[in-house]
Amino acid sequence: MQKRLIVNHQLLEIMVMRLCHQLIENHGDFNDSVILGLQPRGRFVAQRIQSTLATILGKQVPTGLLDTTFHRDDFRRRETPITANATKINFLVEGKKVILVDDVLFTGRSVRAALDAMIAYGRPASVELLVLIDRLYTRHLPIQPTYVGHQVNSLQSQRVLVEWKEQQAEEDAIWLITKTEE
């Protein structure tokens, strides 16, 4: 396995700050906007975005966690069942501007599942997508992010790994992993 650093902790911090300022440009004071982190990995991105926005704006932006397990199109196709994560949404989505947040956009299937899962909490006024990494040329569905931290050209066989200190990583970083033939 070959592991290549594509975003170090300093660049990741700058990316998060830039994404927050782009959100502020489009959402102002966030009175009608909410953030939904896609479980499991989008949770860390959403929490970092929420924390940075709170520092900049001086107030908490409503942030929830959305599990898409039972809305995935591969849910019954796996040999071992997927373990569901908790959905934690303490607000109505009805009429709100929703920002879905995930770490990596690959095929678009997780985002499609999130759109289905989110509807159970109301009909939003609009939905935007924020991702740290947009893996170009890998989409199975016509889904594109509104906000992108970094775009990566990658092969189907490669994987993008986002590591956070909150997950006991040495430091925040984003890696491109290539399986090597043995």
Side-chain angles (χ1 to χ4, degrees):
M1 178 174 76
Q2 182 184 1
K3 192 174 175 182
R4 184 170 61 94
L5 182 66
I6 55 176
V7 178
N8 65 26
H9 71 280
Q10 293 165 325
L11 183 55
L12 185 51
E13 195 174 305
I14 291 167
M15 279 174 31
V16 168
M17 185 64 74
R18 176 178 48 81
L19 290 166
C20 287
H21 283 284
Q22 288 175 323
L23 288 170
I24 292 167
E25 283 180 29
N26 292 334
H27 294 271
D29 60 7
F30 283 82
N31 280 340
D32 296 323
S33 303
V34 298
I35 296 170
L36 289 181
L38 304 189
Q39 288 276 38
R41 293 173 306 278
R43 172 180 102 192
F44 298 102
V45 184
Q47 289 168 343
R48 189 67 61 93
I49 293 286
Q50 180 192 36
S51 168
T52 304
L53 285 171
T55 301
I56 297 168
L57 298 172
K59 71 177 211 175
Q60 290 294 319
V61 174
T63 302
L65 304 175
L66 182 65
D67 180 60
T68 63
T69 302
F70 301 114
H71 297 274
R72 293 176 54 99
D73 59 7
D74 63 351
F75 176 63
R76 288 179 172 52
R77 293 175 176 230
R78 295 176 179 233
E79 289 183 25
T80 55
I82 303 171
T83 305
N85 293 284
T87 291
K88 296 177 184 171
I89 301 175
N90 301 327
F91 47 82
L92 289 178
V93 170
E94 187 73 34
K96 299 288 186 183
K97 296 174 189 169
V98 175
I99 304 143
L100 293 177
V101 177
D102 208 358
D103 62 346
V104 179
L105 177 58
F106 183 36
T107 63
R109 292 181 184 276
S110 292
V111 176
R112 190 220 39 92
L115 292 169
D116 287 349
M118 177 186 60
I119 295 303
Y121 296 90
R123 183 176 181 219
S126 66
V127 180
E128 295 177 331
L129 177 61
L130 180 148
V131 296
L132 283 182
I133 299 293
D134 179 9
R135 289 184 63 175
L136 300 172
Y137 316 116
T138 60
R139 246 32 116 244
H140 294 178
L141 301 170
I143 291 175
Q144 296 300 322
T146 315
Y147 309 96
V148 177
H150 190 72
Q151 293 180 318
V152 174
N153 291 323
S154 60
L155 303 171
Q156 284 290 95
S157 60
Q158 293 175 314
R159 206 180 82 177
V160 174
L161 174 65
V162 179
E163 292 183 326
W164 299 101
K165 285 186 210 172
E166 295 89 340
Q167 293 177 294
Q168 283 65 53
E170 203 172 297
E171 63 181 24
D172 299 340
I174 303 176
W175 302 86
L176 184 63
I177 308 223
T178 304
K179 293 180 184 175
T180 53
E181 306 250 343
E182 295 176 24

